[in-house]
Amino acid sequence: LLMSASQGGFGGLRSLVHVRSMFSNIHSIVLPQQKCISHADKVFNSEGIASDPKILQDCINHGKHLTEFLMKYKRNGNG
């Protein structure tokens, strides 16, 4: 699961292509979901919590996807 955040308008999107490729090349499991958060300097409060409810929910959903994957992965005898 890849996520990025930056102050720019693309939220680190361009870097995720390279990061996905690097992790795939070292035989890591890279989940297809990804999230880019643009203008991160304005989106997160001083405690690091997203102030935009949609972004916050997207991050929570990505965490749920990761948790579901890891539970299935472990049930199938991995890890």
Side-chain angles (χ1 to χ4, degrees):
L1 175 67
L2 299 177
M3 296 180 76
S4 65
S6 79
Q7 295 178 359
F10 290 109
L13 175 67
R14 292 178 287 206
S15 67
L16 291 186
V17 173
H18 302 290
V19 172
R20 182 178 298 279
S21 175
M22 288 188 301
F23 277 111
S24 295
N25 284 333
I26 60 171
H27 307 290
S28 296
I29 297 171
V30 184
L31 301 182
Q33 298 89 356
Q34 65 183 36
K35 175 69 179 169
C36 300
I37 301 171
S38 58
H39 307 291
D41 56 326
K42 298 176 180 108
V43 171
F44 295 99
N45 65 23
S46 61
E47 296 174 0
I49 306 296
S51 55
D52 181 325
K54 182 182 179 335
I55 291 174
L56 181 60
Q57 190 59 53
D58 284 349
C59 292
I60 290 169
N61 289 341
H62 281 356
K64 287 179 182 178
H65 288 161
L66 178 59
T67 302
E68 290 167 4
F69 170 79
L70 291 173
M71 291 173 66
K72 288 177 188 175
Y73 188 78
K74 186 172 182 176
R75 273 197 304 264
N76 289 327
N78 302 296

